Amino acid sequence: MEEQKANVRAVERALDILLCFTDSADLSLSEIAGRLSLHKSTVHRLLATLENKGFLIRNAQTEKYRLGFRLWELSANMSHSDDPATIWLPEMERLKDAVGETISLYVRDGLERIRIQAVQSNQAIRRVAPIGARMPLAVGASSKVLVAYADPGVKEEVLNDPSWPASIDRAAYIEQLEQIREQGYATSVEERELGAAAVSAPIFNRNGKLVAALAVSGPSNRLTVERMVEISGPIKEAAYRMGKMLK
């Protein structure tokens, strides 16, 4: 029994190591050990196993690790036929061509949102949206959409989160959520990042359940409040069509 627990714990730790690379391209043994609060000796053994299996590659000069080609082999065999991030890509491309800004797709994961798909703008100055990025739910147009249309329990959890920014008034935030539900979209100007603005609309499946948030983002001097109101219609229409694509 103890041996089984030890094996499960080793698997969990190995997976935790791989998850460290969701926001970093390469990491050293010390950096990984620090992130996971594990002894270096423990991490070293797991890194050696992951490297031998091809899941990680070690740079002999920098002594840092990066994801290996075995992960690409696994991803190549994933089924994309029912993957919304793949199904919706052509619609996101059309929206990008229509509004001229970067298009992103977000889903909620606990008290964070994750960007699962993005189409970059062709503008010389544009918002770069890396896939896989995680952001808090308290700020940003997409965050507010994901909270506004979430179950009441989720809203309470978000509002009572100990990490809630002191600069954001909860009562005002709740009013924003009500307004978002009335108008069908959310906007944000420099809420999370200076010089950036975004407008977002919800994507519902055929049963009316919130699935994701569709967002248009760009420089705030180009994506003004007036411009965001102007393109809110095309964004909501695109979100509606995307929802109808789901089974």
Side-chain angles (χ1 to χ4, degrees):
M1 193 67 171
E2 290 299 323
E3 183 179 353
Q4 286 182 331
K5 289 182 179 180
N7 290 336
V8 170
R9 187 162 58 249
V11 172
E12 289 177 342
R13 287 173 172 175
L15 293 174
D16 285 339
I17 288 176
L18 293 177
L19 290 173
C20 285
F21 293 87
T22 55
D23 58 0
S24 299
D26 50 24
L27 293 167
S28 67
L29 185 156
S30 297
E31 289 171 329
I32 296 171
R35 289 191 180 198
L36 300 180
S37 299
L38 294 174
H39 292 296
K40 288 184 180 181
S41 58
T42 300
V43 175
H44 184 269
R45 289 195 299 271
L46 293 169
L47 287 172
T49 299
L50 290 169
E51 184 180 5
N52 289 335
K53 292 293 184 180
F55 289 98
L56 291 177
I57 296 174
R58 179 177 172 273
N59 186 314
Q61 294 181 331
T62 64
E63 295 189 351
K64 288 195 172 186
Y65 295 83
R66 60 183 175 84
L67 295 176
F69 296 112
R70 184 55 58 89
L71 290 169
W72 293 104
E73 293 176 19
L74 291 175
S75 65
N77 291 318
M78 288 178 61
S79 173
H80 298 292
S81 59
D82 296 319
D83 178 15
T86 302
I87 295 172
W88 289 336
L89 194 55
E91 191 66 48
M92 294 174 69
E93 291 278 2
R94 282 192 286 271
L95 183 59
K96 183 262 295 182
D97 293 338
V99 302
E101 301 291 354
T102 294
I103 313 299
S104 297
L105 195 63
Y106 295 93
V107 296
R108 183 180 66 84
D109 182 26
L111 296 178
E112 294 179 310
R113 60 177 161 119
I114 307 174
R115 184 182 292 117
I116 63 170
Q117 187 61 279
V119 177
Q120 308 293 346
S121 165
N122 295 327
Q123 302 271 12
I125 300 176
R126 61 183 183 271
R127 184 89 193 289
V128 176
I131 297 173
R134 286 177 173 267
M135 284 148 273
L137 286 177
V139 293
S142 296
S143 289
K144 289 183 286 188
V145 162
L146 292 172
V147 177
Y149 294 94
D151 295 332
V154 172
K155 295 179 185 177
E156 288 298 319
E157 191 176 359
V158 172
L159 290 167
N160 294 321
D161 183 8
S163 64
W164 180 272
S167 59
I168 300 178
D169 181 74
R170 284 181 170 84
Y173 184 85
I174 293 172
E175 288 184 9
Q176 286 187 60
L177 298 183
E178 294 175 355
Q179 183 181 8
I180 291 167
R181 292 180 66 91
E182 290 177 2
Q183 64 188 19
Y185 67 93
T187 61
S188 64
V189 179
E190 299 186 337
E191 288 187 7
R192 194 181 63 83
E193 182 181 340
L194 287 177
V199 54
S200 177
I203 300 176
F204 301 102
N205 63 18
R206 295 182 182 181
N207 295 322
K209 181 181 178 181
L210 178 68
V211 177
L214 176 67
V216 174
S217 61
S220 55
N221 62 348
R222 191 168 65 226
L223 202 56
T224 62
V225 173
E226 292 77 15
R227 176 58 176 163
M228 288 192 283
V229 172
E230 179 184 339
I231 64 176
S232 63
I235 296 171
K236 289 195 291 183
E237 291 170 5
Y240 176 80
R241 290 192 295 269
M242 291 163 75
K244 291 300 180 183
M245 293 178 188
L246 298 178
K247 294 181 180 180

